């Protein structure tokens, strides 16, 4: 009798494990639970959890590869812990792969993808970097020298990079150099490490990871001498002063404006990207603005309030508040569905789904403790 019971229990557990781990859909919503250190895979059509994978220590942001088969997760450990890895997850097999060790680059947080490469902020080292999955290595690092470089956005062509620098109260606008004169330098030319990504005279970004002053590693003006150096691969860094504690931000779909939610003073800074200056400061009362996202058509802007009760919706043209949507607690990560039908917001112990036509909550999925970063994977 006991043998039969044991056999029945074994069969039952096996069936449960099969049901609990469904196949990853070709289009998947990715949810990071900081409290559970897990990546949850959700079917956006049914809002059913189909998989759960360990995401490393203190997972904060997630992004999927262009083919939708792999997810990259930043293991943050900010405020002293200084973790230095990106977790890698096979979304099809639903298993963790070997991590990317960032070495001296500490507290990675914001993630972006362009041309198949993963861009990341390394807040603890005051730099941004780029990981090439095909080559399996970090191929570029750029020093910024700002405090708490937290989030990052990269244009599709990789020619503009933006970051929020929370404790410096700035937004970075980074562009490749134009090849204008740099110098003068000494009679032997610039010191090693002068160039930007791809330069022949030193490591990518002008210095070793975590070492040297931001952006290059040479004294201002260089040593006395007569060399004039053309460096088209160097990067121009502009830091635009905004409100207090800029964290979540987004670039408008037309690429003309950048909106930054200032978490410490309840304002939103609207930056004219071409002029590289603040065009307007909006009063949008929040307790702790966390993320900001444009809708795909650029008509509306969503702001999550980590210390409040949900999200704030603004009209992008009039720059006026049009609605507050209660989610019964603070909210964090925001993800726009690419077709513009829905927006997903991390709140409580799950994700709320908002219909972008009605601006009403249309669904909910419980994912785990303290959800934050959200991603979208489309498998080719």
């Amino acid at each position: 009798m006991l043998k039969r019971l044991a056999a029945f229990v074994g069969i039952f557990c096996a069936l449960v494990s099969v049901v609990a781990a469904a196949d990853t859909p070709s289009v998947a919503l990715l949810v990071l639970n900081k409290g559970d250190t897990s990546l949850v895979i959700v079917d956006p059509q049914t809002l059913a959890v189909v998989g759960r994978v360990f995401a490393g220590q203190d997972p904060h942001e997630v992004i999927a590869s262009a083919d939708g088969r792999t997810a990259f997760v930043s293991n943050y450990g900010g405020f002293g812990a200084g973790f230095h890895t990106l977790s890698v997850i096979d979304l099809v097999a639903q298993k963790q792969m070997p991590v990317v060790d960032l070495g001296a680059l500490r507290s990675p947080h914001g993630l972006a993808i362009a041309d198949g490469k993963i861009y990341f902020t390394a807040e603890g080292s005051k730099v941004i970097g780029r990981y090439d999955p095909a080559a399996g290595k970090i191929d570029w690092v750029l020093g910024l020298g700002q405090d708490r470089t937290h989030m990052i956005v990269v244009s599709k062509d990789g020619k503009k990079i933006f970051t929020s620098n929370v404790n410096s109260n700035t937004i970075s606008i980074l562009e490749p150099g134009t090849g204008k004169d740099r110098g003068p330098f000494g009679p032997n030319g610039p010191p090693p490490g002068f160039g930007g990504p791809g330069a022949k005279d030193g490591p990518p970004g002008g210095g070793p990871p975590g070492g040297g002053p931001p952006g290059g590693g040479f004294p201002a003006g260089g040593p006395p001498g007569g060399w004039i150096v053309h460096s088209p691969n160097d990067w121009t860094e502009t830091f635009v002063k905004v409100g207090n504690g800029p964290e979540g931000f987004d670039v408008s779909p037309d690429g003309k404006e950048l909106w930054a939610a200032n978490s410490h003073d309840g304002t939103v800074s609207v930056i004219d990207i071409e002029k590289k200056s603040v065009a307007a400061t909006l009063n949008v009362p929040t307790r702790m603005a966390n993320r900001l996202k444009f809708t795909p058509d650029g008509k509306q802007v969503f702001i999550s309030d980590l210390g409040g009760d949900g999200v704030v919706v603004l009209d992008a043209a009039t720059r006026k508040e049009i609605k507050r949507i209660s989610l019964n607690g603070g909210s964090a990560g925001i993800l726009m569905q690419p077709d513009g039908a829905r927006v997903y917001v991390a709140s409580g112990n799950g994700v709320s789904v908002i219909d972008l036509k009605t601006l009403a909550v249309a669904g909910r999925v419980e994912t785990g403790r303290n959800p934050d970063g959200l991603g979208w994977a489309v498998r080719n």
Side-chain angles (χ1 to χ4, degrees):
M1 181 67 181
L2 290 177
K3 289 183 178 180
R4 289 181 181 178
L5 179 60
F8 173 78
V9 171
I11 293 171
F12 176 78
C13 291
L15 289 174
V16 169
S17 66
V18 170
V19 172
D23 291 341
T24 300
S26 59
V27 178
L29 171 67
L30 310 178
V31 183
L32 280 182
N33 295 319
K34 293 190 293 189
D36 297 339
T37 61
S38 64
L39 172 75
V40 172
I41 303 170
V42 176
D43 184 333
Q45 294 299 316
T46 63
L47 294 183
V49 173
V50 300
R52 190 180 301 266
V53 185
F54 177 63
Q57 295 178 296
D58 199 24
H60 271 242
E61 298 295 324
V62 58
I63 197 162
S65 59
D67 63 6
R69 303 181 69 87
T70 308
F72 296 87
V73 175
S74 56
N75 302 119
Y76 179 47
F79 306 104
F83 298 150
H84 54 92
T85 58
L86 300 180
S87 290
V88 184
I89 295 169
D90 183 327
L91 294 174
V92 179
Q94 297 184 12
K95 66 178 183 179
Q96 188 182 34
M97 305 297 286
V99 301
V100 176
D101 191 336
L102 303 177
L105 304 183
R106 302 287 170 163
S107 300
H109 190 274
L111 297 174
I113 186 170
D115 195 26
K117 297 184 179 183
I118 309 301
Y119 290 76
F120 59 90
T121 64
E123 188 176 291
S125 303
K126 300 188 179 185
V127 306
I128 60 174
R130 185 177 66 199
Y131 173 70
D132 184 348
K137 66 179 182 180
I138 298 168
D139 67 357
W140 176 68
V141 175
L142 181 68
L144 302 183
Q146 300 291 288
D147 295 329
R148 284 201 69 203
T149 297
H150 204 60
M151 303 299 290
I152 185 169
V153 170
V154 180
S155 62
K156 291 182 180 179
D157 61 6
K159 292 184 177 180
K160 275 191 173 66
I161 301 175
F162 309 90
T163 72
S164 58
N165 311 301
V166 183
N167 289 354
S168 289
N169 300 326
T170 61
I171 294 292
S172 308
I173 302 177
L174 313 171
E175 301 168 293
T178 59
K180 294 181 179 179
D181 292 348
R182 293 293 302 273
F185 297 105
N188 294 319
F194 166 69
K200 298 179 180 179
D201 53 0
F218 52 91
W227 279 68
I228 300 296
V229 177
H230 297 275
S231 182
N233 289 322
D234 197 17
W235 282 71
T236 299
E237 302 177 349
T238 302
F239 304 109
V240 181
K241 200 74 173 178
V242 291
N244 295 329
E247 186 171 337
F249 76 95
D250 200 8
V251 175
S252 60
D254 63 9
K256 293 181 179 180
E257 292 183 345
L258 182 152
W259 289 38
N262 302 310
S263 62
H264 298 169
D265 65 13
T267 65
V268 172
S269 298
V270 179
I271 295 174
D272 183 315
I273 292 177
E274 183 178 0
K275 294 181 180 179
K276 297 182 175 65
S277 62
V278 174
T281 300
L282 314 180
N283 183 32
V284 185
T286 53
R287 293 184 180 178
M288 186 180 292
N290 185 254
R291 296 292 177 264
L292 180 150
K293 293 290 182 183
F294 277 90
T295 53
D297 61 10
K299 293 182 178 181
Q300 295 172 342
V301 174
F302 278 64
I303 302 171
S304 60
D305 188 355
L306 192 59
D309 186 45
V311 294
V312 184
V313 187
L314 305 180
D315 183 290
T318 64
R319 298 175 179 170
K320 301 292 185 181
E321 180 179 321
I322 57 177
K323 189 170 184 178
R324 288 183 180 244
I325 303 172
S326 175
L327 300 177
N328 298 316
S331 55
I334 302 175
L335 177 77
M336 294 290 167
Q337 192 165 293
D339 64 5
R342 300 189 290 185
V343 55
Y344 302 87
V345 182
S347 63
N349 288 323
V351 175
S352 295
V353 184
I354 298 172
D355 186 306
L356 282 176
K357 290 184 179 179
T358 64
L359 296 183
V361 177
R364 171 102 182 153
V365 54
E366 299 300 318
T367 60
R369 293 188 299 121
N370 197 10
D372 188 5
L374 304 178
W376 192 256
V378 180
R379 192 163 70 251
N380 299 331

